[in-house]
Amino acid sequence: MSKKGLSLEEKKKKMVEIFHETKEFYTLKELEKIAPIQQSVKDVLSDLQGDNLIQFDKIGTSNYFWSFPSAAGASRQAALVKEKSELTAVQAKVSDAEKSLREAERGREDTQKRRDLLARLAAARQTHKSLTTELEAHGAADPVKFAEKKRAVESAKEASLRWTDNTMILFKMATDTLGADATDLRQYLEIPEEWEDLVV
């Protein structure tokens, strides 16, 4: 007979009682017939396995479930030992953290001297920030940037002279070898007379 309205914990308790009272092995089908929670036996068994309150084994094609009171006690005892071990580890970490905190606070007591030093530190940081902003505003006067720009200008000058020379070589070749009229060619290419003597 199914009892309506049982919580999961109540269902688990009833299932464990069946195992402990009978001290027998059961298949899922057998449990579904005798348990007062037929519609969710599989889910309850799964939860009980997760809690290590029942054991399970596959024999042939059948799955068998069991739980003995002594095994449940041993399982609970093992869980208790594990929890105590974890508690001890956590307490040790808390103790270490408290010790580190005390050591970190040593020398940082709230005294007038410390407040004065902190005020000086804040003022120095503010000065550093304003000077950095000012330096960035005058970035063009930075010697490193100036040297980089100077190198870039020299490189541009060399490139302009090289292209001017190359253009005039081609211009001379077109007029001497191909017989193009220099005036017409200059006019067509929009090259002024003084362009060859470009001073950079």
Side-chain angles (χ1 to χ4, degrees):
M1 294 170 51
S2 73
K3 182 176 177 183
K4 294 184 180 178
L6 290 176
S7 70
L8 179 60
E9 287 305 313
E10 290 171 326
K11 291 176 183 178
K12 286 164 66 174
K13 185 177 177 186
K14 294 269 185 201
M15 186 68 72
V16 170
E17 284 174 2
I18 291 170
F19 286 112
H20 289 185
E21 286 171 6
T22 63
K23 297 179 181 70
E24 294 287 332
F25 296 85
Y26 295 99
T27 65
L28 178 60
K29 286 186 180 181
E30 291 170 338
L31 287 168
E32 286 174 339
K33 287 179 188 174
I34 64 170
I37 48 170
Q38 288 92 345
Q39 67 272 21
S40 60
V41 169
K42 191 173 184 179
D43 295 336
V44 173
L45 287 172
S46 177
D47 272 8
L48 288 170
Q49 280 181 270
D51 295 342
N52 290 321
L53 293 174
I54 65 166
Q55 282 71 47
F56 156 81
D57 204 357
K58 186 172 185 128
I59 302 172
T61 58
S62 300
N63 295 328
Y64 287 90
F65 300 89
W66 70 93
S67 176
F68 300 119
S70 60
S75 175
R76 286 192 179 108
Q77 185 63 31
L80 180 62
V81 168
K82 181 183 173 195
E83 294 298 326
K84 282 183 177 178
S85 172
E86 288 177 4
L87 176 62
T88 302
V90 168
Q91 286 172 335
K93 285 182 182 178
V94 168
S95 177
D96 289 346
E98 287 173 346
K99 182 181 176 186
S100 296
L101 179 62
R102 283 191 301 274
E103 288 174 4
E105 287 176 339
R106 193 175 301 127
R108 295 182 178 200
E109 294 81 12
D110 189 23
T111 62
Q112 184 59 45
K113 182 179 178 182
R114 186 168 193 273
R115 285 193 294 271
D116 292 343
L117 289 172
L118 287 173
R120 284 178 58 196
L121 177 62
R125 283 181 175 159
Q126 186 59 41
T127 302
H128 177 266
K129 185 177 177 184
S130 65
L131 289 174
T132 302
T133 305
E134 188 177 338
L135 181 63
E136 287 171 357
H138 300 313
D142 183 357
V144 174
K145 289 183 181 177
F146 182 76
E148 287 174 3
K149 286 182 182 179
K150 189 173 182 182
R151 281 193 297 274
V153 167
E154 290 299 322
S155 178
K157 280 183 185 180
E158 289 172 12
S160 65
L161 289 172
R162 186 173 50 252
W163 284 104
T164 301
D165 289 345
N166 291 343
T167 304
M168 293 316 295
I169 289 168
L170 285 173
F171 185 83
K172 186 151 181 61
M173 189 175 124
T175 54
D176 292 350
T177 309
L178 302 175
D181 182 53
T183 306
D184 290 342
L185 192 55
R186 280 183 183 276
Q187 191 174 11
Y188 179 76
L189 296 175
E190 298 180 0
I191 298 175
E193 289 290 334
E194 69 276 4
W195 192 71
E196 186 178 356
D197 300 326
L198 183 64
V199 177
V200 213

